[in-house]
Amino acid sequence: MDAQGRGRGDDIDPADQWVLNPNTGEYELRLSPSAPQSSVPRPRRPAAETGTGAPGSRTSPKAPGRDIPPQRGRRGVPPEEPLPGRRGRRPAKQQQSKAKKAVLWTGGTMAFVLVAAAGAGYLYLKHLEGNVATTDVGDAGASNFSKDEAFNILIIGTDKRTGEGNESYGDSGNVGHADTTILLHVSKDRSNATALSIPRDLIVDIPDCPTTQEDGTETVIPGSQGVRFNASLGESGRDAGCTMRTVKAATGIQPNHFMMADFNAVKTLTTAVDGVEVCVEDAVNDKQSKLVLPAGESKVEGEQALAFLRTRKSFGNSGDLDRIKVQQQFLGSLMRKMSSGNTLTNPAKLLKLAEAATKALTVDEPIGNVNTLKDIALELKKVPTKNITFTTVPVKDNPTEVVKATVVVDETKAPQVFDMITNDISFTEVKAQEKKEKAEVAARLKGTKADASEVRVRILNGGAAAGSAQAELAYLQTEAGVTKSENAGNAEATQAKTTLEYAPDQADQARRLAEIMGLSGSAMKPGQSVDNAQGLPTMTLILGKDFKGAGVKLNSASAATPDVDKSTADKVQCAS
């Protein structure tokens, strides 16, 4: 069901009925005597917290250690002190001191998700929860959200045209495809995040997909081979769980949860944040999207923001890949806007955002409650914008097409990107351990390096995936020039880390191999050599459980710079 069709409980107006209690720093539901009473039940306090008044008395409940302001007086009788309601002016410190702030960012061409809860109390959180729609995706995702682990959220922006004001976009019967999809990976230590855009025209194999129908019955939708990625949603009744399964099949990365929204999300959320700053190198007058902007910086919201995200013909080569870059620039600007104090310290604005975000949102059932969404928002809020990397699945033109309309995964570049996300490696080199290892490498590698053709090494598998020793051997011999290398089979025991043991007179060889593989200083083990089949002294390389694949450098600092287009959320960029 689209954002316009879900029940929203619009009889509750938080701007009118929720006021800030200066003694507790929290919002409370307050109705004037003449106002209609909320249909939401008021939570009862235990008897121990309700004071000593006799049954039936008008003694106000009082929580231990908290003084609740008195109720409003009857008409014509002024209260002793003015209540800090929406019509009263709130002191700045009260607005900023104890308001609970949570911001969830992300998005796509037709949607982005923003949750900002202002600590309005249990009843208001339940009201927000009633706005959120959920989908049962079964085992396509995780059964719960963990605050202690890295997590992947699949953000889906659909091109569904339902909702007020969207009829003019054409294709009104569109079932809602995965028009824009971003896989958001948040690191375990919350120091960084990666937003990986998945092109809608990427050719993939869609696996069989178990789905739950509206009547509660289960059915399996057959898969499709060699089709566009956007067909993983909407086609043949496929739901977001099918899109999650397709992402796993295409990238090897397991999405834990999903969030989805349609056209109206862009319009309502950009209006709620009072617009998003964008920049274009040249003036735009796009006849198809109806976007009109002068060269330089502008602020867009509502219909204009949607037009900006839908525009293709005015940017780059008019293709979807260039539109993805524009979307990433837009989201970076949104991140900066949401991180600003002007947004985070304004309770009224946060309430407005919370209403808009939850009404626009469809999620998987395990995160379909406001408390969990708040937890996700708080975890995301920990990530600095300078360490949020936007990139796209590396692709190339589909070789089977004469007229190029679709793309396929670039097998020379994509595996490293997928492995970095799977192994929680930062694209921005921000982890303290990475910096430490980089320093160790520099210290160990001081001195001369042998030519790659002079490096003698035998490779053993000590915990890496099956076939890793042979795959790394092939890479070293054909790509890195280490021709004097051999596969020595499996190590006697498994080990967590990859190591290189060498004799003192092989240090120059060890330095060269460490440079090629991105070995850390701690991975280099001065020791003894062994004789190879020709009786020559040879180093021993044991691939541990940390081995990420043939050709993928082991130290995160080196692996964090793959040859792909990328940007970070803290940089201002102009679309061209």
Side-chain angles (χ1 to χ4, degrees), residues 93 115 140 145 147 187 217 329 346 427 486 495 576:
K93 290 184 179 179
V115 172
F145 173 72
K147 294 189 288 185
S187 68
T217 60
Q329 293 164 14
N346 188 325
F427 279 73
E486 61 186 48
Q495 58 189 52
S576 59

Side-chain angles (χ1 to χ4, degrees), residues 318-331:
S318 302
D320 190 54
L321 295 179
D322 284 303
R323 186 177 66 161
I324 286 175
K325 294 178 182 177
V326 174
Q327 296 162 11
Q328 293 171 347
Q329 293 164 14
F330 179 91
L331 291 173

Side-chain angles (χ1 to χ4, degrees), residues 481-500:
V482 184
T483 55
K484 297 176 181 178
S485 51
E486 61 186 48
N487 183 354
N490 293 326
E492 294 181 358
T494 61
Q495 58 189 52
K497 301 292 185 180
T498 297
T499 58
L500 174 64

Side-chain angles (χ1 to χ4, degrees), residues 42-308:
R42 185 169 183 165
R44 297 180 180 178
R45 287 189 176 90
E49 298 180 9
T50 59
T52 58
S57 71
R58 294 182 176 271
T59 303
S60 298
K62 184 177 181 181
R66 291 187 177 183
D67 295 325
I68 306 300
Q71 296 181 355
R72 297 179 191 268
R74 293 186 298 275
R75 186 175 299 175
V77 181
E80 294 179 6
E81 294 182 10
L83 276 172
R86 70 184 180 99
R87 295 175 179 84
R89 186 173 182 180
R90 299 173 190 159
K93 290 184 179 179
Q94 290 181 8
Q95 292 183 9
Q96 300 177 16
S97 60
K98 295 184 179 180
K100 299 175 184 176
K101 302 181 291 287
V103 177
L104 167 59
W105 63 264
T106 195
T109 310
M110 303 310 164
F112 53 84
V113 178
L114 181 61
V115 172
Y122 173 81
L123 291 182
Y124 187 57
L125 290 179
K126 297 304 291 184
H127 159 68
L128 292 178
E129 190 168 303
N131 291 340
V132 181
T134 62
T135 298
D136 181 5
V137 298
D139 61 0
S143 58
N144 55 63
F145 173 72
S146 173
K147 294 189 288 185
D148 301 320
E149 300 295 334
F151 60 90
N152 302 315
I153 297 180
L154 190 66
I155 310 303
I156 306 171
T158 77
D159 54 4
K160 199 169 185 178
R161 264 67 167 174
T162 53
E164 182 180 354
N166 296 325
E167 306 86 1
S168 61
Y169 297 127
D171 197 11
S172 59
N174 196 323
V175 294
H177 298 98
D179 188 64
T180 294
T181 306
I182 295 178
L183 182 65
L184 173 65
H185 171 78
V186 181
S187 68
K188 182 175 181 178
D189 63 5
R190 308 300 185 246
S191 66
N192 64 91
T194 301
L196 179 70
S197 293
I198 303 174
R200 66 180 186 181
D201 295 327
L202 176 67
I203 296 299
V204 296
D205 292 338
I206 300 175
D208 293 345
C209 180
T211 61
T212 301
Q213 304 300 300
E214 290 185 3
D215 60 3
T217 60
E218 301 283 339
T219 187
V220 176
I221 301 174
S224 300
Q225 283 70 49
V227 297
R228 281 179 166 88
F229 176 83
N230 67 347
S232 64
L233 179 69
E235 292 286 332
S236 304
R238 294 187 178 106
D239 62 12
C242 301
T243 309
M244 296 172 73
R245 296 176 192 276
T246 303
V247 170
K248 175 63 185 301
T251 68
I253 304 169
Q254 174 64 64
N256 304 119
H257 306 285
F258 86 89
M259 295 180 179
M260 180 171 64
D262 59 16
F263 278 16
N264 288 309
V266 173
K267 296 190 286 188
T268 59
L269 292 175
T270 52
T271 300
V273 298
D274 296 330
V276 176
E277 288 72 24
V278 298
C279 181
V280 294
E281 287 189 0
D282 302 305
V284 175
N285 187 357
D286 194 284
K287 304 300 182 184
Q288 292 187 337
S289 69
K290 311 267 191 312
L291 178 66
V292 178
L293 287 178
E297 296 184 0
S298 300
K299 181 187 289 187
V300 296
E301 63 179 271
E303 292 285 351
Q304 196 178 31
L306 181 58
F308 183 84

Side-chain angles (χ1 to χ4, degrees), residues 436-486:
K436 178 180 178 182
E437 290 185 354
K438 189 175 181 179
E440 291 175 346
V441 169
R444 286 286 180 92
L445 292 180
K446 287 182 178 179
T448 59
K449 300 181 182 68
D451 188 85
S453 62
E454 298 301 318
V455 174
R456 292 189 300 275
V457 61
R458 62 176 191 146
I459 307 169
L460 292 88
N461 192 334
S468 293
Q470 185 60 37
E472 182 67 9
L473 175 67
Y475 168 78
L476 290 175
Q477 290 186 340
T478 61
E479 301 292 333
V482 184
T483 55
K484 297 176 181 178
S485 51
E486 61 186 48

Side-chain angles (χ1 to χ4, degrees), residues 258-466:
F258 86 89
M259 295 180 179
M260 180 171 64
D262 59 16
F263 278 16
N264 288 309
V266 173
K267 296 190 286 188
T268 59
L269 292 175
T270 52
T271 300
V273 298
D274 296 330
V276 176
E277 288 72 24
V278 298
C279 181
V280 294
E281 287 189 0
D282 302 305
V284 175
N285 187 357
D286 194 284
K287 304 300 182 184
Q288 292 187 337
S289 69
K290 311 267 191 312
L291 178 66
V292 178
L293 287 178
E297 296 184 0
S298 300
K299 181 187 289 187
V300 296
E301 63 179 271
E303 292 285 351
Q304 196 178 31
L306 181 58
F308 183 84
L309 291 172
R310 295 183 68 238
T311 296
R312 283 194 304 166
K313 299 300 182 182
S314 297
F315 299 131
N317 62 5
S318 302
D320 190 54
L321 295 179
D322 284 303
R323 186 177 66 161
I324 286 175
K325 294 178 182 177
V326 174
Q327 296 162 11
Q328 293 171 347
Q329 293 164 14
F330 179 91
L331 291 173
S333 178
L334 178 63
M335 299 309 99
R336 295 190 295 273
K337 181 69 172 282
M338 291 312 306
S339 298
S340 68
N342 183 45
T343 299
L344 297 180
T345 58
N346 188 325
K349 184 175 290 187
L350 289 172
L351 285 172
K352 186 178 179 181
L353 288 169
E355 288 288 333
T358 53
K359 288 176 182 178
L361 192 62
T362 300
V363 302
D364 54 295
E365 288 187 347
I367 63 171
N369 63 81
V370 170
N371 281 330
T372 302
L373 290 174
K374 182 188 68 175
D375 288 342
I376 294 174
L378 290 171
E379 295 305 306
L380 289 168
K381 185 175 177 288
K382 297 176 182 178
V383 183
T385 56
K386 68 178 182 179
N387 297 331
I388 299 171
T389 301
F390 293 101
T391 190
T392 305
V393 172
V395 296
K396 60 185 180 181
D397 288 336
N398 188 345
T400 66
E401 295 177 334
V402 177
V403 178
K404 303 303 181 183
T406 61
V407 293
V408 297
V409 170
D410 186 340
E411 295 295 347
T412 64
K413 297 180 180 179
Q416 182 179 359
V417 174
F418 298 158
D419 286 340
M420 287 176 64
I421 294 175
T422 300
N423 292 287
D424 198 23
I425 299 173
S426 168
F427 279 73
T428 49
E429 302 180 357
V430 296
K431 295 180 181 178
Q433 184 61 29
E434 292 175 5
K435 293 180 180 179
K436 178 180 178 182
E437 290 185 354
K438 189 175 181 179
E440 291 175 346
V441 169
R444 286 286 180 92
L445 292 180
K446 287 182 178 179
T448 59
K449 300 181 182 68
D451 188 85
S453 62
E454 298 301 318
V455 174
R456 292 189 300 275
V457 61
R458 62 176 191 146
I459 307 169
L460 292 88
N461 192 334

